Structure formats: structure tokens, C-alpha cells
Amino acid sequence: MKHGPYNERMPIELLNWLLSPEAVSAAALLIFMAGLSDGIGSQGVTLLINRITPLRFVLGLLASAALFLVSAALWVAALWLSVRTLYGVSVPLALFFVAVSAAYGPLLLGALRLLPLIGTPIWVLLRLWSFGAALASIQAVTGLGFWQAALGALGGTLLLAGASWLLSEPAAAVGGRLWALVTGRPRPLERSAPPLVIPGYEPAIEVEP
Amino acid sequence: MIGVVLWVAAILCALLIVAAIAVPLAALAWWAGWISAPGVAAPLVNSEPPRPGPFLVYLSGVGDISGEYSTRYEDAMLDALVERVPGLQVVTDVFAYSWANVGLTSEGDLGWFWAWLNAVRLNKRSPLRKVGKLINLRNVLHIAVSADNRYGPIYNYGVAEMIIQGLLRHGYRLGSGTPVTLLGYSGGAQIAVGTAGYIQATLRTPVQVISLGGIFNSNSSLERISSLVHLYGSRDRGQRLGQLIFPARWPLFPATHWGRALAVGKVSFHCLGPMVHSGRGSYLDDNERLEDGRSFMAATADAVAEHVLHLGPGAPAGVVAPTGQGRA
């Protein structure tokens, strides 16, 4: 089944704006800000646990947001390719990018992941909300039905996963170098716990526990 | 009018979220070296002559405001405990809800606010008495941080150092192998469970945790400590919260630290009687009595003393506490 170039019910003024460079910039900014908030909620904790300096902390978050934007752009491109291949939808990539970027809106609240105990469940809900919004955006911009959009999203995600698998080694090398650059550490940081023995209080005489 | 109420509710929610996020961030910033801990003294300082012990560290519930503050009910129970355990050294000057042992009234910017709140909540005629519950809310946020797998290791590490310093202040001798009991009331039990592993590993001595109506999460400390005794009242609904809100304590997940500690018999339950969580009829009530004539407070002190005495010098790690009378 062939679909129209895009959803014909969309007002022409809105369509014109969505196709403008300003709209693409605004969409990229939205995703970057969502990546920053999401990074504060997840990457921020890892950076602090690894006793990073304030300057490198900020640089780490900015790099994390930039990587988030790149991965989001790749995901949207994979979705676009998927719905184009599966359903023959011919929507300009820029328009598709702007529409799907709205799905990143909920992740502006990603910093809420910092909340103790309830932060991670909230973050999972935000991710589900974001995925639902992505499906709604695909439907709105392509005129596809819900299950078609879902299948298209699945196809795009699998496409990106396959590409990531193929390029995992060079991507890891680039990621590692980027982390080393911004954090001053030789390899990507991992969350680690403090030592069990608190320095300065160990018994002077060894005793059996 | 409804609009104003909604705005006020939204602002209060936003303030609560900011406060809730500020607690773990402050602990992480301290760990990262961005801020200093004002309460941290130089290590290895024995300000008192060495004492043989045994030692018990009391960590109060969510109404606490500092290491120096305690209610007369808590004082009475701890005095009764000292009478029952010869030579017992009780450490009460550790504030469980600060990784730097800084009491609320000693906080630089907000000390005046917490002091005012404490005065208000203690004034029975004050119409703003309920506002004093903000102290409880503030401490609940610290319990949540201690119980969170992401922040708990950092926060508990800080409080564990404060507890070790408290032990040293009270004459604990490093290397003596003297057992340490951590007694945590209500939310204090979470701090006790969270810090016990560090204390055991650092002092290399048997450490047991006694939870008095405690609310706590599963924690890796349970692998290291000698035992965890949960004392509870049959009418205490608060203590059941821990079992409900922390999935790691659900029977559905037996491979957690909690599940493994249960399986090897490290955890025991001891029903003290028809006590409630706090206030009249609670564990510290010296007026209400059991059928055998003992006051609730005396029964609590008896049970705690029994377990402190059981953890004698040289008790091996992994020792199983006396079998409880029931299960919470």
C-alpha cells in the first residue's frame, strides 16, 4: 500500500514551518536538552561517584548530551528508512525528524531519575511515554495506523541495532577516546562502590573476625 | 481560589523534588571532593581512655534532629539497657541522618529554621505544631538515600565513619575485637543496616544490627554482619513498610542479600508484644504493661539486652541470634 507524501490533513502553515531550518534546529535543541537532563539523571551519578572535577563533570554531561543527540538522529533516520521501505511513505527526512523529536519532550524530565528510590521507576515511565509519543508522531506525520507505526519503529530500532553491532568496535573506540578526553580517565567510567574498609581506622593488631 | 491552591501545591511539589534531589547530590558532591564534611574529625583519635565494652550505637528514628538530641523516653530505655548489660558503652552522639554528623540545628544556612521547627513541634499549644513534621520528612529523604542502591554505598560510608568516630570518642579501642551492636529505631534501622558492613570490615569485629520496629532495605552489609534481629510490636504497622516497599525483601526474590541472610539464619524476628510504632503504647512507653507486668519499655530493654549479651567477645561472624518468637 502506497501512502501520500505526508499526512494531508496537516495545515499548510504548520507544514511549512516544520520544513524550515528553524524547526530542525529547534528539534535538535529539544533533543539536546532532553539528553542533558537524561544525562544528569544517569551519567551525572556515575561521574560524581568517580570523583570527577566540576569542570570535567560539566564537559562530561555536555558530551553525553551530544552523543544522545547523535544517537537520536541515527534512530530517527533508521525509523524513516524503515517506514519508507516497509510502507513506501515518502516524507522528507527533515520533516520526519522534527515530528519525531517531539517524542523526546518527556525526557526533559529525565533528571528526575536522581530522586532517591522512586527515580528509576519514574525514568522507566518517561521512556515508555517517550516511545508512545514517538509512535503518535510517526502516525501524525505519515498517516500510518498504530500497528504499522509500531512495526516501522521496531524495524528502525532493529536496523540501528544491527548497524551498531556491525560498527560496535570503531564506535567503542571513538566513545572511549571521547570519554578519556572529557573525563581525564583512560577508559569509560563505570559505577563503583567505595572501599569496604574505611582508611585510617583499620586495627593496628590483626584480629580474627 | 482553586487556582491558588493548585499553584501552592505545585510550588510545594517542586520544592519537595528539589529537596529530594539535593540530598543525594550533597552526598555525591562530598564524595567527589567538591564540598568538605564539617563534622569529620581526624581519624584514630581516642578522646576517652580505652573501655572494655561491649559497645552499642543507638540510631534514633526520623524525628531526630542531632546527635545530642534525644527524647526522655529514649534516654530511659538506654539507661535501663545499661543496667542490664554490665560495662555497656552506649554511643548516642551520632546523627544518623547526616553523612557528616552535623545536626540540623548546626547546619550553616538552615540551622535557625530547623531550630524554630523543633521549638514549634515541641510546643503543644502551637497551631503550627504539625509543620514540625518537616523534620521527619527531611530525615525520610536521607533514609531513602541510604536505601537507594546508587547512593546508599556513598551515604552509608560517610555515616559509618561518623559511627566509628563515635565509638572512638566513647573509648573503643581499635584492634580490641570488641563486638559492636547497632540499635536502630524505625528509620534508624536502615542506617544501621547500611553502615554495618563498613564498620565490620573496618574494625574487623563482630557487628550485629538490632532493628527496633525498623524499616530497612536489603543491603550487602547482611553478608558481613553477625546477625540482624528485628524486634517488633504486633500492632506496629509502620515496621511492615520495609517488607512492602523494598522489592529486594519480597519472598519472590530469594537471591537478594536479604533472601540469602534469611536462608542462612542470620535474620531473626522477635515479637515484643502489642506495641505500636511510636507515641503512646510504643516500644518506649513505660506506662503500658504486658501481661507479665513488665512495662513496654522494660520489655524492649530486656530483649535488646539479651541480644547484646549474646554477641559476646570473640563471637564469630555469621553467628545466629537467639530464635525469635514470631515473624513480622
Side-chain angles (χ1 to χ4, degrees), chain A residues 4-11 15 91 95 138-144:
Chain A
Y6 25 77
N7 196 345
E8 282 94 357
R9 286 174 295 174
M10 198 174 283
L15 190 60
V91 177
L95 174 62
I138 294 169
Q139 285 178 264
V141 78
T142 61
L144 292 171

Side-chain angles (χ1 to χ4, degrees), chain A residues 45 48-49 51-54 57 112-117 120 191 194-203 206-207 209, chain B residues 17 20-21 28 31-32 34 43-44 144 148 150-151 153 157 160-161 164-165 174-175 198 200-204 224 246:
Chain A
V45 176
L48 284 169
I49 285 176
R51 295 177 151 167
I52 219 86
T53 63
F57 176 78
L112 290 180
R113 194 180 186 186
L114 288 172
L115 286 169
L117 290 182
T120 302
R191 193 169 292 170
L196 259 177
V197 177
I198 302 171
Y201 301 96
E202 306 92 331
E206 286 286 322
V207 290
Chain B
I17 288 170
I21 288 176
L28 288 171
W31 175 253
W34 294 9
L44 302 173
D148 190 301
R150 297 167 296 169
Y151 315 124
Y157 180 93
E161 183 172 5
I164 291 172
Q165 288 193 356
L174 293 173
Y198 294 110
Q200 191 281 329
T202 304
L203 300 182
R204 296 177 205 176
R224 305 195 63 86
F246 298 120

